[in-house]
Amino acid sequence: LGEIGYLHLKAGRHELAALFTQRALEGVEDADLDGRLRYNLGRIAQAQGDLDRARRLFKSSLARRPNATVQKA
């Protein structure tokens, strides 16, 4: 589901991207996957103009999966 969400993000279909990515996040126990999905949700929020939500999601992504690229975002 996360991959489908990413494809929708790349195609500019942000509502569908958020739906699939949020679904993919449900029940995830793997910290790396959790961090990647949260990062993608941050990118979706950013594309939708919700910068506060994007920052929160980027921070939660970093908490689950430290990453130099995300820290710069």
Side-chain angles (χ1 to χ4, degrees):
L1 290 175
E3 292 85 0
I4 295 170
Y6 183 75
L7 291 174
H8 282 298
L9 170 62
K10 295 301 278 182
R13 295 185 293 266
H14 302 123
E15 288 183 27
L16 285 172
L19 175 72
F20 279 98
T21 306
Q22 190 63 49
R23 266 261 170 105
L25 188 58
E26 294 172 8
V28 169
E29 294 181 16
D30 179 73
D32 186 65
L33 178 57
D34 183 284
R36 284 184 281 144
L37 292 169
R38 289 175 190 272
Y39 177 78
N40 286 348
L41 284 170
R43 291 189 57 208
I44 294 163
Q46 188 176 37
Q48 293 174 318
D50 191 345
L51 301 183
D52 289 335
R53 184 166 193 270
R55 279 187 204 94
R56 286 192 308 273
L57 286 160
F58 289 146
K59 285 181 183 180
S60 67
S61 171
L62 279 172
R64 297 289 284 157
R65 181 183 78 135
N67 182 296
T69 301
V70 178
Q71 285 180 308
K72 291 178 186 178

